[in-house]
Amino acid sequence: GALLALNKPPGLPVLGRPGELSLSALLPALRRRLGLPAELHVVKAPARECSGLILLSGCHRATEQLQRFFTDARRRGQYPATYRAVTVGVPAEAEGEIRTGLRWQQQGDTAVVVPVPVPGRRSLARKEVKSTLTRYRVLGAAGGCALLQLQPRTAFPDQLQVHLTLLLCPALGDHQYSSRVGRVLGVSFLLHPEAAATRTQVLDKELLGQLGLSTQQLQHLPLHLHLQQLVLP
């Protein structure tokens, strides 16, 4: 009917700057190619760095109803979105929940998301901090890496990447937050965000060999975080 689902590659933003390749800029051409009568709207899409499901609609009413459904579903404690991630490291527990407050913090010229383990009532009320929750399950593990199923109960920018660092298992290709997880003699530990400058993800030689990558190619490794499933009403 009015709905169209696509598979977005990593690195493609939904909204781009003028002249930049983006999903929104491609929608008119997509509409013409598919011969659709109505203008397309984005209902749900993963962040720029992620890959996976994009849900489009050719009906304003359907767009509004579905967006309202996704918001209400999270409030009711449901998990309408399911992601898959490849992580560097295997969580200690096969399944569980990650709960923490998240907020924006300025570091130099960029703003990053940092965890707030015990957010105060005032900061939550003023919306300086948001209480967040992600449910995870390990689907498989090999070579020091894991395939995880992730179901966010809340929506906050970079929530899944930051939550994975709290598991000491950053997503493969996470060049934004993976530096917060350090290793000494094979043991992983969490670094304070201010002590972990943003940099290209560091992988050991064995994993680089398994991926068939050189150290110079690492900066082009995409984020292995994929929106795999959306539950619709």
Side-chain angles (χ1 to χ4, degrees):
L3 297 179
L4 175 66
L6 302 176
N7 186 21
K8 185 183 88 69
L12 179 68
V14 175
L15 297 172
R17 292 181 288 271
E20 182 183 38
L21 181 66
S22 67
L23 175 64
S24 297
L26 294 170
L27 289 182
L30 178 65
R31 175 190 170 189
R32 290 193 297 271
R33 176 174 291 188
L34 297 177
L36 300 175
E39 182 182 348
L40 289 168
H41 315 281
V42 179
V43 179
K44 186 82 171 172
R48 178 189 194 125
E49 297 81 8
C50 303
S51 60
L53 270 170
I54 291 175
L55 190 62
L56 304 174
S57 168
C59 169
H60 278 290
R61 186 180 175 194
T63 301
E64 291 173 357
Q65 287 179 335
L66 285 167
Q67 289 177 340
R68 196 179 308 120
F69 163 76
F70 286 124
T71 301
D72 292 345
R74 288 195 298 266
R75 288 174 182 162
R76 290 194 299 267
Q78 298 172 344
Y79 297 83
T82 300
Y83 287 77
R84 293 276 174 96
V86 177
T87 63
V88 180
V90 182
E93 302 290 337
E95 58 183 295
E97 292 182 342
I98 309 128
R99 294 174 181 267
T100 189
L102 292 179
R103 67 178 174 88
W104 287 102
Q105 178 174 294
Q106 197 69 25
Q107 285 189 0
D109 297 331
T110 60
V112 296
V113 178
V114 298
V116 182
V118 187
R121 288 184 180 179
R122 288 185 180 180
S123 60
L124 290 170
R126 291 196 295 260
K127 297 186 178 180
E128 298 168 350
V129 178
K130 180 168 182 176
S131 184
T132 60
L133 168 63
T134 300
R135 187 164 62 185
Y136 77 90
R137 183 159 64 94
V138 178
L139 302 176
C145 293
L147 176 64
L148 264 61
Q149 175 180 285
L150 300 169
Q151 291 179 303
R153 165 87 177 273
T154 51
F156 195 88
D158 299 345
Q159 173 178 321
L160 295 179
Q161 294 102 293
V162 176
H163 280 189
L164 287 173
T165 64
L166 297 177
L167 284 179
L168 302 178
C169 300
L172 183 65
D174 182 356
H175 307 300
Q176 180 75 30
Y177 298 103
S178 61
S179 58
R180 296 180 183 180
V181 180
R183 283 177 71 84
V184 173
L185 300 175
V187 178
S188 298
F189 62 95
L190 199 62
L191 287 161
H192 193 277
E194 292 181 0
T198 299
R199 64 161 189 252
T200 300
Q201 189 174 33
V202 176
L203 302 178
D204 60 38
K205 289 184 179 179
E206 185 177 351
L207 183 52
L208 277 174
Q210 290 176 325
L211 293 169
L213 295 174
S214 67
T215 307
Q216 291 73 28
Q217 291 172 315
L218 255 181
Q219 61 180 317
H220 302 297
L221 184 68
L223 180 67
H224 282 54
L225 184 57
H226 182 80
L227 177 53
Q228 186 222 0
Q229 178 178 288
L230 290 171
V231 177
L232 301 183

